[in-house]
Amino acid sequence: MWAARRDDGLEQLVSVVDIGALVAFTLLHASVVGWFVVRRAEGAPVWWRHLVIPVLGAAVTVAVIVEASRTAQLVGAVWLVVGLGVLVAQRERRAHDQGSGPDAGVSPGG
């Protein structure tokens, strides 16, 4: 409805959708670095594949986000905050569920 009532509505809607995809790709690049370089999962990282390429990819997506419309940036920021809130809530719930089960306080094998 919002986009249909504006002269530049389609352009704004496309920009908002693009921001969502760009933020997701930026977080994907950060996840690759986190998984392979920081956590060192899957053995020793291949530096160009696990650090250089994701950092360059994130830099490109951030540059495009910076050039997007302010409306799209605002909507993207709101969705990012909502997503981070859901992540925090899920982690807290998971920690609470693990700490209150029938085996809470019992070490494995003992």
Side-chain angles (χ1 to χ4, degrees):
M1 295 288 287
W2 165 75
R5 294 184 181 161
R6 296 177 54 121
D7 289 336
D8 64 343
L10 182 59
E11 181 181 323
Q12 288 291 324
L13 183 61
V14 168
S15 183
V16 167
V17 171
D18 289 348
I19 288 291
L22 290 166
V23 169
F25 278 116
T26 303
L27 294 174
L28 173 70
H29 292 304
S31 297
V32 169
V33 173
W35 182 256
F36 289 103
V37 177
V38 176
R39 292 184 63 176
R40 296 208 180 246
E42 310 282 327
V46 179
W47 293 104
W48 65 271
R49 185 183 334 165
H50 298 140
L51 182 67
V52 175
I53 299 296
V55 167
L56 290 174
V60 169
T61 57
V62 167
V64 174
I65 290 169
V66 167
E67 294 299 320
S69 72
R70 295 290 170 218
T71 303
Q73 290 174 344
L74 178 63
V75 171
V78 168
W79 275 112
L80 180 60
V81 169
V82 168
L84 292 173
V86 169
L87 176 65
V88 168
Q90 285 179 339
R91 285 187 175 202
E92 287 178 1
R93 182 176 177 192
R94 188 172 300 147
H96 178 268
D97 289 348
Q98 289 176 351
S100 64
D103 295 330
V106 177
S107 63

